[in-house]
Amino acid sequence: MNKPSETIALEQSVPVRGEYDVIIVGGGPSGCTAAAASAREGKHTLLIESTAALGGMGTMGLIPGWCPFSDQEKIIYRGLAEVVFRKSRAALPHDSERVDWVGINAEALKRIYDDLVTSAGAKVLFQTTLCGVFEENGRVSAVLVANKSGLSAYKARVFVDCTGDADLAVEAGARYESGDGDGLVQPSTHCFVLGNTDMYAYLFKLRWKLGGPAKQLRDDPELDLITDNFICTDAVSPDAVGFNAGHIYELDSGDPEAVSAALIRGRKMAEQFCKGLRKYAPEAFGSAYVAQTGGLMGVRESRRVLCDYNLTAEDYVARRSFPDEIGRSSYCVDTHPTSRDREKGVEPSDRYEPYKAGESFGIPYRCLSPVGLANVLVAGRCIGSDHAVNGSVRVMPPCLVTGEAAGAAAAQAAAMELPDIHQVDVSALQETLLRHGAYLHIDQA
């Protein structure tokens, strides 16, 4: 990120526009379940979101489908996660029975998240961006935000960082890691939707056989922005296919200029994908057009907060359970290759075998509690984890689970006026989560 060449002194009084028990920043999957979980416990809860809709990558980002919700035997992302999934699946009649790799109707999912959060009693503040925090000795008293009202502050007893990039936690002083051992992060993807597709040809001839056309697109010199053969799709409406395809390497999601350039590149890539698929897969895409591109860049990895416990690849391999676990994950180590991996022909995820039916690993509460912060929790893809296992917990189903746990823990801390979120009674937290349908293995720890 470009460093400023000069600074301008700014002295300004900032109005406090509200005081809450719990404030969640970031309205993606983890933020929505965090807000709902906090509010259902009777806590005065505010959810701050920088865009105009809840849902993050599942809505504004146009991710075409859910990663698996089952361990190949049963749904394991339960509680609020399962509520969201079942309502989302109902909006796609052609996927009404599956529990793994189910498509997403983004507009329906926006309303599902709206209802989830507001029916629980939480307030939502859209188009509001976090600008900073008021912090002293590891305790945050308020967040500074910007919107049409200008700069203002909101106070709370407890805060939950669901920004994905750990913006709140890092502003408050949390330590973090980013990328692999050399700091290289997984590539990003700008998702898009192709309309006017032949759905019969797509569903019954091409859906699981796009590997061949993907290689042809990669090797076509006219499609110079398509540099690899990554392509993942799902039907999102009767005549539209959503695409999670192509990579943009080494994107620093904390650099606004880099993200802006990546969004421009992503829109051009979408047009090249459409052009190439009209050429190499005409039976399904011969008359297709780019119907929509994502309003968010699909960032797979950025900052991971150092927490009281940081999940490791060894935890994944061992199928480890924890006495303080608040959820489980069975998703593979889906770590997309960096540019260096690509040059070497390395697929990092190949180092870890996918789980067999019924296998999963636990996510402990300690992965949500940042070292050195007294009243800030994290949820979503910025929880405590190493580069490899982050490839498993970064996707939407586990983010829904960690969000619900963080919201319930924040509500408990606020209700008991705990001076420190590290003092949360984990047994009581687990009882709350189990009462609302969570799936845990605490008896196996």
Side-chain angles (χ1 to χ4, degrees), residues 28 38 62 66 87 101 172 176 178 198 209 283 314 344 347 360 390 396 408:
S38 171
L62 294 184
W66 295 102
K87 291 183 177 181
W101 304 114
Y176 64 92
S178 182
D198 186 317
K209 299 178 181 179
E283 61 269 52
E314 288 72 24
K344 295 180 178 180
E347 286 288 343
S360 61
N390 189 254
M396 293 191 293

Coordinates of all heavy atoms in Angstrom, one line a residue, residues 28 38 62 66 87 101 172 176 178 198 209 283 314 344 347 360 390 396 408:
G28 N -21.1 -9.9 6.9 CA -21.1 -11.1 6.2 C -21.7 -12.3 7.0 O -22.4 -12.0 7.9
S38 N -26.4 -12.6 19.5 CA -26.4 -11.6 20.6 C -27.8 -11.1 21.0 O -28.2 -11.0 22.1 CB -25.4 -10.5 20.2 OG -25.5 -9.4 21.2
L62 N -21.4 -12.5 -4.9 CA -21.9 -13.5 -5.9 C -21.2 -14.8 -5.9 O -21.1 -15.5 -7.0 CB -21.8 -12.8 -7.3 CG -22.7 -11.6 -7.6 CD1 -22.5 -11.2 -9.1 CD2 -24.1 -11.9 -7.3
W66 N -22.9 -22.8 -1.9 CA -22.4 -23.1 -0.6 C -21.4 -24.2 -0.7 O -21.5 -25.2 -1.4 CB -23.5 -23.6 0.3 CG -24.6 -22.6 0.6 CD1 -25.8 -22.5 0.0 CD2 -24.5 -21.5 1.6 NE1 -26.5 -21.4 0.6 CE2 -25.8 -20.8 1.5 CE3 -23.5 -21.1 2.5 CZ2 -26.0 -19.7 2.4 CZ3 -23.8 -20.0 3.3 CH2 -25.0 -19.4 3.2
K87 N -33.2 -22.2 4.5 CA -34.0 -21.2 3.9 C -33.4 -20.8 2.5 O -34.1 -20.5 1.6 CB -34.1 -20.0 4.8 CG -34.9 -20.2 6.0 CD -35.1 -19.0 6.9 CE -36.0 -19.3 8.1 NZ -36.2 -18.1 8.9
W101 N -22.7 -28.5 -1.9 CA -22.5 -27.8 -3.1 C -23.9 -27.4 -3.7 O -24.2 -27.7 -4.8 CB -21.8 -28.7 -4.2 CG -20.5 -29.1 -3.6 CD1 -20.1 -30.4 -3.4 CD2 -19.3 -28.3 -3.3 NE1 -18.8 -30.5 -2.9 CE2 -18.3 -29.2 -2.9 CE3 -19.1 -27.0 -3.4 CZ2 -17.0 -28.7 -2.4 CZ3 -17.8 -26.5 -3.0 CH2 -16.8 -27.4 -2.5
A172 N -7.4 -2.0 17.1 CA -7.4 -2.0 18.5 C -6.0 -2.5 19.1 O -5.8 -2.5 20.3 CB -8.5 -2.9 19.1
Y176 N -1.2 -10.0 14.4 CA -1.8 -10.9 13.4 C -0.7 -11.4 12.5 O 0.4 -11.0 12.5 CB -2.8 -10.1 12.5 CG -2.2 -8.9 11.8 CD1 -1.8 -9.1 10.4 CD2 -2.1 -7.7 12.3 CE1 -1.2 -8.1 9.7 CE2 -1.5 -6.6 11.6 CZ -1.1 -6.8 10.3 OH -0.5 -5.8 9.6
S178 N -0.3 -13.0 8.2 CA -0.9 -12.9 6.9 C -0.1 -13.8 5.9 O 1.1 -13.8 5.9 CB -0.9 -11.5 6.4 OG -1.5 -11.4 5.1
D198 N -28.0 -22.1 -21.7 CA -28.9 -23.3 -21.9 C -28.8 -24.2 -20.7 O -27.8 -24.9 -20.5 CB -28.5 -24.0 -23.1 CG -29.4 -25.2 -23.5 OD1 -29.8 -25.9 -22.6 OD2 -29.7 -25.3 -24.7
K209 N -18.1 -31.1 -15.7 CA -17.1 -31.4 -16.8 C -16.5 -30.1 -17.4 O -16.3 -30.1 -18.6 CB -17.8 -32.3 -17.8 CG -18.3 -33.6 -17.3 CD -18.9 -34.4 -18.4 CE -19.5 -35.8 -17.8 NZ -20.1 -36.6 -18.9
E283 N -22.7 -25.3 -26.4 CA -23.9 -25.9 -26.2 C -24.7 -25.3 -25.0 O -25.9 -25.3 -24.9 CB -23.7 -27.5 -26.0 CG -22.8 -27.8 -24.8 CD -21.4 -28.0 -25.2 OE1 -20.8 -27.0 -25.8 OE2 -20.8 -29.0 -24.9
E314 N -2.0 -29.5 11.8 CA -1.9 -30.7 12.6 C -3.3 -31.0 13.3 O -3.6 -32.2 13.5 CB -0.8 -30.6 13.7 CG 0.6 -30.6 13.1 CD 1.0 -29.4 12.4 OE1 0.4 -28.3 12.7 OE2 1.9 -29.5 11.5
K344 N 5.8 -23.3 -9.5 CA 6.4 -24.6 -9.2 C 5.5 -25.8 -9.5 O 6.0 -26.9 -9.3 CB 6.8 -24.6 -7.7 CG 7.9 -23.6 -7.3 CD 8.2 -23.7 -5.8 CE 9.3 -22.8 -5.4 NZ 9.7 -22.9 -4.0
E347 N 0.3 -27.8 -5.7 CA -1.1 -27.6 -5.2 C -1.1 -27.8 -3.7 O -1.0 -28.9 -3.2 CB -2.1 -28.5 -5.9 CG -2.4 -28.2 -7.3 CD -3.3 -27.0 -7.4 OE1 -3.9 -26.6 -6.4 OE2 -3.4 -26.4 -8.5
S360 N -14.5 -34.9 11.2 CA -14.4 -33.4 11.4 C -13.4 -33.1 12.4 O -12.9 -33.9 13.2 CB -15.8 -32.9 11.7 OG -16.3 -33.4 12.9
N390 N -6.6 -22.4 7.7 CA -7.4 -21.3 7.3 C -8.2 -21.6 6.0 O -9.3 -21.1 5.8 CB -6.7 -20.0 7.2 CG -7.5 -18.8 7.0 OD1 -7.7 -18.2 6.0 ND2 -8.2 -18.4 8.1
M396 N -17.9 -20.2 4.0 CA -19.1 -19.6 4.7 C -19.7 -20.5 5.8 O -20.1 -20.0 6.8 CB -20.1 -19.2 3.6 CG -19.7 -18.0 2.8 SD -21.0 -17.3 1.7 CE -21.3 -18.7 0.6
A408 N -22.9 -15.1 20.8 CA -23.4 -15.6 22.1 C -22.4 -15.3 23.2 O -22.9 -15.0 24.3 CB -23.7 -17.1 22.0

